[in-house]
Amino acid sequence: MKITKAASLADDLVLRFEEKILSGMLKPGERFPTEMTITTDFGVSRTVVREAFARLAARGLLESRRGSGAYVAEGARYQAFQVTAAELGEIDDVLRLLEMRTGFEAEMASIAAQRRTQDDLDTMKACMERMARSTDMDASVEADSAFHAAIARATGNPYFLRFTDFLGIRLVPSRRLYLRSDSPRSHAAYARTINKDHKAIYDAIAAQNMTKASLAARRHMQKSYERYSALKREAAG
């Protein structure tokens, strides 16, 4: 998927205004600058501004008033954290999520190694077997998500599971950005790569080795980050 200049500029605007809102520089009920002001101040097109406004509105940070303009939504500073599917359409978005996910997954695997039960291990193993049999993207995504949910459940901490369930499929970077082919062979090869990492995490959790489990989970995330970074460089070149 090509990373467009317009999408990148819209990302930048969203981040700038989100920071102003969350820091209190822009207060609830305060009017946003006009489209023309933003296009002049930031050197972007109206299309970029409207895309940024649409994303801010989707996050509950902006509300439009007919004939009046755009305003900071009431309670905007207290919006719950969320990652929408629309935000994962570009490689940069996936990389940001992977950065956040790395520490979360490492700690979760460490705690799971300490507390796992045999039922937890059986569930993880079944997920890996499903991944090995997968021949299409949907099946591999489902098996991948289920494996990480099983680790969350093994912690015995409901907040790990709730957070994993909340992000759901967003914790598994989109294969549409990485896989160029829909062939069963391509998906099977990708599944083998992921399953090799999963096996290392599983083995450490099964051995109740908290340090190795954490390192295996961290390596898994870092390798994913490296794959998507390489794809970004390829798209840019």
Side-chain angles (χ1 to χ4, degrees):
M1 182 179 291
K2 184 179 180 180
I3 302 173
T4 66
K5 183 178 180 181
S8 179
L9 291 171
D11 285 341
D12 184 60
L13 277 183
V14 169
L15 288 173
R16 286 171 183 266
F17 280 112
E18 187 174 47
E19 287 173 2
K20 289 184 178 183
I21 292 169
L22 297 179
S23 69
M25 290 178 64
L26 275 175
K27 297 177 174 55
E30 188 172 342
R31 194 176 190 276
F32 272 84
T34 64
E35 287 185 7
M36 183 169 292
T37 298
I38 296 174
T39 59
T40 301
D41 290 349
F42 293 93
V44 297
S45 68
R46 286 195 172 188
T47 299
V48 169
V49 177
R50 288 168 184 167
E51 171 64 20
F53 275 16
R55 295 189 193 183
L56 289 165
R59 298 184 189 187
L61 300 175
L62 175 152
E63 59 183 26
S64 296
R65 300 177 188 174
R66 185 179 295 276
S68 180
Y71 292 80
V72 179
E74 295 295 336
R77 291 184 64 189
Y78 308 102
Q79 290 295 316
F81 171 80
Q82 61 177 314
V83 179
T84 65
E87 291 177 271
L88 297 181
E90 301 290 342
I91 296 174
D92 277 340
D93 298 318
V94 175
L95 291 174
R96 293 186 189 106
L97 188 62
L98 281 169
E99 284 182 347
M100 183 198 76
R101 183 183 171 192
T102 298
F104 174 80
E105 289 284 344
E107 183 65 16
M108 186 167 72
S110 175
I111 296 174
Q114 182 183 27
R115 302 175 182 172
R116 96 294 185 276
T117 65
Q118 187 58 50
D119 284 345
D120 293 324
L121 294 176
D122 291 343
T123 300
M124 291 178 211
K125 191 172 183 179
C127 292
M128 290 190 294
E129 290 172 351
R130 294 212 311 272
M131 173 72 82
R133 294 194 302 269
S134 67
T135 56
D136 60 66
M137 183 175 61
D138 290 339
S140 63
V141 167
E142 191 279 330
D144 197 347
S145 297
F147 179 80
H148 290 277
I151 295 174
R153 192 173 294 106
T155 67
N157 182 335
Y159 291 122
F160 274 108
L161 184 57
R162 283 172 59 184
F163 188 59
T164 300
D165 286 343
F166 173 71
L167 291 177
I169 202 171
R170 295 166 183 81
L171 279 176
V172 183
S174 174
R175 271 89 172 138
R176 297 185 190 281
L177 292 175
Y178 187 74
L179 293 177
R180 303 295 183 83
S181 169
D182 289 328
S183 71
R185 180 177 297 180
S186 175
H187 287 285
Y190 188 75
R192 283 195 298 272
T193 299
I194 299 301
N195 242 1
K196 185 177 180 180
D197 287 353
H198 284 183
K199 180 65 162 54
I201 299 170
Y202 169 85
D203 286 345
I205 291 176
Q208 293 192 299
N209 190 317
M210 297 172 65
T211 300
K212 285 188 176 181
S214 178
L215 289 173
R218 184 173 293 276
R219 279 196 295 269
H220 180 39
M221 293 298 99
Q222 288 173 339
K223 285 161 69 174
S224 292
Y225 191 94
E226 290 166 5
R227 281 194 294 270
Y228 283 92
S229 293
L231 184 60
K232 178 184 176 181
R233 290 192 297 271
E234 180 184 337

